Amino acid sequence: QSDALKNYHEYEIVDKEISEFINIESDKYFEELIRKNVVTVYHPVGTCKMGKDNMSVVDSRCRVIGFKHLRVVDCSIFPEVQSGNTNAPAIMAGEKASDLIKEDWKLGNGNIPGKYGS
Protein backbone atom coordinates (compact mmCIF):
# COMPACT_ATOMS: atom_id res chain seq x y z
CA GLN A 1 0.00 0.00 0.00
CA SER A 2 1.14 3.52 -0.75
CA ASP A 3 1.22 6.23 1.90
CA ALA A 4 -1.21 8.30 -0.15
CA LEU A 5 -3.89 5.58 -0.13
CA LYS A 6 -3.32 3.84 3.19
CA ASN A 7 -6.18 5.75 4.87
CA TYR A 8 -8.63 4.36 2.32
CA HIS A 9 -7.84 0.72 3.01
CA GLU A 10 -10.85 0.38 5.29
CA TYR A 11 -13.11 1.17 2.32
CA GLU A 12 -11.76 -1.69 0.24
CA ILE A 13 -14.41 -3.32 -1.84
CA VAL A 14 -14.06 -6.97 -2.70
CA ASP A 15 -16.25 -8.48 -5.36
CA LYS A 16 -17.30 -11.71 -3.70
CA GLU A 17 -18.38 -13.28 -6.97
CA ILE A 18 -14.94 -12.82 -8.54
CA SER A 19 -12.91 -13.40 -5.37
CA GLU A 20 -14.54 -16.80 -4.98
CA PHE A 21 -12.50 -18.01 -7.98
CA ILE A 22 -9.56 -15.60 -8.25
CA ASN A 23 -7.04 -14.41 -5.66
CA ILE A 24 -7.87 -10.76 -4.84
CA GLU A 25 -4.20 -9.81 -4.82
CA SER A 26 -3.57 -11.00 -8.37
CA ASP A 27 -3.55 -9.01 -11.59
CA LYS A 28 -6.18 -11.41 -12.96
CA TYR A 29 -8.58 -10.35 -10.19
CA PHE A 30 -8.28 -6.69 -11.16
CA GLU A 31 -8.65 -7.53 -14.87
CA GLU A 32 -11.91 -9.33 -14.10
CA LEU A 33 -13.07 -6.58 -11.73
CA ILE A 34 -12.53 -3.96 -14.43
CA ARG A 35 -14.15 -6.12 -17.12
CA LYS A 36 -17.22 -6.61 -14.92
CA ASN A 37 -17.66 -3.02 -13.70
CA VAL A 38 -16.40 -0.57 -16.31
CA VAL A 39 -18.88 1.06 -18.68
CA THR A 40 -18.46 3.59 -21.42
CA VAL A 41 -19.52 7.20 -20.98
CA TYR A 42 -19.58 7.66 -24.74
CA HIS A 43 -22.47 6.99 -27.05
CA PRO A 44 -21.69 3.77 -28.92
CA VAL A 45 -21.25 4.15 -32.66
CA GLY A 46 -20.00 1.98 -35.48
CA THR A 47 -21.95 -1.17 -34.60
CA CYS A 48 -23.85 -1.32 -37.89
CA LYS A 49 -21.28 -0.78 -40.64
CA MET A 50 -22.23 1.12 -43.77
CA GLY A 51 -20.46 0.03 -46.92
CA LYS A 52 -20.15 -2.41 -49.81
CA ASP A 53 -18.00 -5.20 -48.38
CA ASN A 54 -19.04 -8.48 -46.71
CA MET A 55 -18.93 -6.92 -43.23
CA SER A 56 -21.40 -4.17 -44.12
CA VAL A 57 -24.83 -4.17 -42.52
CA VAL A 58 -26.34 -1.22 -44.40
CA ASP A 59 -25.72 0.30 -47.81
CA SER A 60 -25.13 3.99 -48.56
CA ARG A 61 -28.89 4.62 -48.42
CA CYS A 62 -29.17 3.18 -44.87
CA ARG A 63 -30.96 0.05 -46.13
CA VAL A 64 -30.25 -3.14 -44.22
CA ILE A 65 -28.72 -5.57 -46.69
CA GLY A 66 -30.95 -8.61 -47.17
CA PHE A 67 -34.18 -6.90 -46.09
CA LYS A 68 -36.69 -4.93 -48.12
CA HIS A 69 -38.18 -2.02 -46.10
CA LEU A 70 -35.77 -1.93 -43.19
CA ARG A 71 -33.25 0.82 -42.53
CA VAL A 72 -30.87 1.70 -39.73
CA VAL A 73 -30.68 5.43 -39.17
CA ASP A 74 -28.72 6.32 -36.06
CA CYS A 75 -25.11 6.76 -34.98
CA SER A 76 -24.42 3.04 -35.29
CA ILE A 77 -23.82 3.57 -39.03
CA PHE A 78 -20.92 5.98 -38.38
CA PRO A 79 -17.46 4.41 -38.64
CA GLU A 80 -15.88 6.24 -35.68
CA VAL A 81 -16.86 8.02 -32.48
CA GLN A 82 -17.37 11.72 -33.04
CA SER A 83 -15.35 14.11 -30.91
CA GLY A 84 -18.54 15.71 -29.60
CA ASN A 85 -22.03 14.70 -28.58
CA THR A 86 -23.87 12.39 -30.96
CA ASN A 87 -27.14 14.34 -30.93
CA ALA A 88 -26.45 16.60 -33.93
CA PRO A 89 -24.95 13.82 -36.10
CA ALA A 90 -27.95 11.60 -35.30
CA ILE A 91 -30.33 14.36 -36.37
CA MET A 92 -28.30 14.87 -39.55
CA ALA A 93 -28.46 11.13 -40.35
CA GLY A 94 -32.22 11.15 -39.80
CA GLU A 95 -32.72 14.17 -42.04
CA LYS A 96 -30.63 12.62 -44.82
CA ALA A 97 -32.35 9.25 -44.49
CA SER A 98 -35.78 10.86 -44.71
CA ASP A 99 -34.72 12.41 -48.04
CA LEU A 100 -33.45 9.01 -49.24
CA ILE A 101 -36.69 7.30 -48.26
CA LYS A 102 -38.75 9.90 -50.11
CA GLU A 103 -36.54 9.46 -53.20
CA ASP A 104 -36.95 5.67 -53.11
CA TRP A 105 -40.73 5.96 -52.92
CA LYS A 106 -40.81 8.39 -55.83
CA LEU A 107 -38.73 5.98 -57.92
CA GLY A 108 -41.05 3.04 -57.55
CA ASN A 109 -43.45 3.30 -54.63
CA GLY A 110 -40.90 1.79 -52.28
CA ASN A 111 -39.85 -1.14 -54.47
CA ILE A 112 -36.15 -1.04 -53.81
CA PRO A 113 -33.79 -2.42 -56.46
CA GLY A 114 -30.74 -4.44 -55.49
CA LYS A 115 -29.97 -7.40 -53.23
CA TYR A 116 -32.86 -7.03 -50.81
CA GLY A 117 -35.32 -9.65 -49.63
CA SER A 118 -39.05 -9.41 -50.08
Side-chain angles (χ1 to χ4, degrees):
Q1 287 195 6
S2 68
D3 289 338
L5 298 177
K6 69 180 177 184
N7 293 331
Y8 295 98
H9 181 69
E10 64 187 83
Y11 300 108
E12 184 176 339
I13 297 174
V14 175
D15 186 305
K16 292 181 182 183
E17 188 176 294
I18 297 172
S19 66
E20 186 175 332
F21 302 103
I22 301 171
N23 178 354
I24 64 170
E25 295 179 6
S26 69
D27 288 344
K28 182 71 175 164
Y29 170 79
F30 289 100
E31 288 174 21
E32 292 301 319
L33 188 65
I34 290 168
R35 211 174 256 117
K36 180 180 176 186
N37 294 296
V38 172
V39 296
T40 180
V41 295
Y42 296 106
H43 302 288
V45 304
T47 58
C48 202
K49 182 179 179 177
M50 178 185 281
K52 294 181 180 180
D53 63 11
N54 289 338
M55 294 295 294
S56 299
V57 176
V58 298
D59 66 7
S60 62
R61 299 182 71 80
C62 302
R63 299 176 297 201
V64 176
I65 297 169
F67 291 86
K68 195 175 175 175
H69 301 292
L70 180 61
R71 296 180 195 245
V72 173
V73 184
D74 60 18
C75 292
S76 67
I77 64 174
F78 299 153
E80 297 177 10
V81 176
Q82 300 82 277
S83 61
N85 192 287
T86 56
N87 185 46
I91 292 170
M92 180 263 330
E95 291 288 336
K96 180 63 180 175
S98 69
D99 291 340
L100 297 172
I101 292 167
K102 288 185 271 187
E103 285 176 15
D104 287 344
W105 277 92
K106 283 180 184 175
L107 289 175
N109 198 24
N111 295 320
I112 301 170
K115 52 183 178 181
Y116 302 93
S118 54

